[in-house]
Amino acid sequence: MPIEIKVASKDEIDIVYSTMVDAFKDYAGKLNPASGALSETTENILNTMNHGGGSVIAWDGLIATGSARFKFIEHYIYIGRVAVLPEYRGKGIGKAMLAFLEKMAEEKNISESRVEVRLSIPDNIEMYKRFS
């Protein structure tokens, strides 16, 4: 079954949250400073949704395999908290979420996207370089 990316509704905040936490827990105790993803709450996600942003969820049938957050800021889309569950990594889910978000931005005549990534996680840097 192909992965389907959808914009998350407010009713799906718990899914966005749990997917993010499950994906980021691999970094617990390994990053200095620690990842802020693990100290966030569902209220943080709701706040993003209430202030011009949102989240997407990657679905494999009924299973949420990944999530990402976004916010439109001036002339660009900010993409953050890109999270793919460990057992689904390497299957193009992160790339599919980024492509979905960039298409959303293009539909709003926004041609720039920005993603922040830690220099201390070289695998993630290489992943994002491949997407550009």
Side-chain angles (χ1 to χ4, degrees):
M1 177 175 283
I3 297 297
E4 184 177 14
I5 313 299
K6 293 183 179 179
V7 175
S9 70
K10 289 182 180 179
D11 292 338
E12 295 172 313
I13 287 175
D14 288 336
I15 296 169
V16 173
Y17 176 78
S18 64
T19 303
M20 176 190 69
V21 169
D22 288 347
F24 275 82
K25 68 183 176 188
D26 286 353
Y27 300 116
K30 296 179 182 173
L31 301 175
N32 188 13
S35 172
L38 297 174
S39 62
E40 285 193 357
T41 66
T42 55
E43 287 299 313
N44 298 114
I45 299 167
L46 180 61
N47 188 45
T48 298
M49 288 180 163
N50 287 336
H51 292 94
S55 299
V56 295
I57 302 173
W59 294 96
D60 181 4
L62 299 175
I63 300 169
T65 61
S67 65
R69 304 246 289 277
F70 66 90
K71 186 164 185 173
F72 294 102
I73 303 172
E74 297 174 10
H75 63 280
Y76 66 92
I77 183 174
Y78 170 78
I79 303 169
R81 301 290 190 241
V82 177
V84 176
L85 297 177
E87 60 270 27
Y88 288 91
R89 291 180 186 154
K91 298 177 190 262
I93 294 169
K95 183 176 182 175
M97 287 190 294
L98 289 174
F100 182 92
L101 290 167
E102 288 181 342
K103 184 169 176 29
M104 280 179 54
E106 286 175 10
E107 290 170 358
K108 292 181 175 282
N109 293 319
I110 296 172
S111 60
E112 182 180 341
S113 60
R114 296 183 187 179
V115 180
E116 291 181 1
V117 62
R118 285 182 185 250
L119 293 174
S120 60
I121 309 176
D123 288 347
N124 287 357
I125 294 169
E126 289 305 312
M127 177 186 68
Y128 288 115
K129 283 181 180 178
R130 287 193 307 268
F131 295 160
S132 60

